Amino acid sequence: NLEKKLLDYLRSKKLKFGFERTREPLHATELAASASKDFDVVVAVGGDGTVHEVANGLAGSNATLGVRPVGSGNDFNRLIGMPKRFDHAIETMLTGVRKVFDTGQLTFTDGPERAVRNRRFINSLGLGLDAVVADQARRITWLRGLPLYLAAVGNTLRHLESYDLHVSLDGSSIEKRVFVLCIGNGMFEGGGFKLTPDADPHDDK
C-alpha cells in the first residue's frame, strides 16, 4: 500500500523522518506544529483538507510545507504542481526551490461560549453554498475530482439557502443577502474549478 511504499522509500534514502497518522479533525494541525520544531519540511499526505490543517500547524514556524496529493480535489496541488508519484514528489521536496505563499486569516466565534478563534487558509475560503458543497463532498465516497464536486453541488441545490452577510474589506463595508462568498488566495477550488482566476498566492495581497 501507499504507506509501506512511502516508508520503504524514505528508509532507502537514509533520511531522518517521522511518520504520524491523524486520528480526528484538526489533529494534523497539532502534529504539524510539533513536527515543525524538529524538521525542516513537514509533508501533508492527503487532500486539501489535510493541507489546510498542516499549514495551520506550520504558521509562524520556519518549516516548509510539502504535499503528497492523494485527496479528492487536490486544488492546492494544482498551484504548486507536486508530482503525484511519491518518489518524484520526495525528490522534488529534497531538490526543489522553496516558495513563499500568502495566507489569509479568518477570525470567527465558535461554540455556545462564542469563543473567538483564528484559522489560516492558503488556497480559498468559502462561506454559504461553498461550505455546504464541501460538507456534501465529504459524504460522497464513490467519486473523486470534478465529478465529485458536481455531484455535491447537485445535492446542495435541492436545499439552497441564502445568508445575511456583513463584510468589511479595505475600509468598506457590505451588507447583503447572498448564497455564497468565496475568497481565493489560489485560483482553483472544487476539484479544478477556476473560481477565482485572477488570484495570485505570491502577490503579497
Side-chain angles (χ1 to χ4, degrees), residues 18 33 55 82 96 99 122 125 127 138 178 188:
M82 186 64 68
K99 292 185 177 181
I122 58 172
L125 167 68
L127 303 174
R138 287 191 308 108
V178 301
F188 297 104

Side-chain angles (χ1 to χ4, degrees), residues 2 38 157:
L2 174 62
D38 300 313
L157 291 177

Side-chain angles (χ1 to χ4, degrees), residues 2 12 41 110 112 121 163 172:
L2 174 62
S12 74
V41 179
D110 186 32
F121 62 94
Y163 304 86
S172 300

Side-chain angles (χ1 to χ4, degrees), residues 152-171:
V153 168
N155 290 346
T156 302
L157 291 177
R158 300 174 190 171
H159 312 286
L160 191 59
E161 295 183 45
S162 58
Y163 304 86
D164 291 318
L165 193 68
H166 178 102
V167 178
S168 296
L169 179 66
D170 295 337

Side-chain angles (χ1 to χ4, degrees), residues 94-153:
L94 293 174
T95 63
V97 177
R98 297 185 182 192
K99 292 185 177 181
V100 177
F101 270 73
D102 301 331
T103 63
Q105 180 169 292
L106 173 68
T107 300
F108 61 100
T109 56
D110 186 32
E113 297 84 14
R114 308 293 288 171
V116 177
R117 305 190 188 282
N118 295 306
R119 191 75 55 80
R120 301 279 188 116
F121 62 94
I122 58 172
N123 186 48
S124 66
L125 167 68
L127 303 174
L129 174 65
D130 208 21
V132 178
V133 169
D135 185 58
Q136 282 288 329
R138 287 191 308 108
R139 303 166 191 268
I140 300 172
T141 58
W142 57 92
L143 293 172
R144 297 177 70 82
L146 190 56
L148 164 64
Y149 289 94
L150 289 173
V153 168

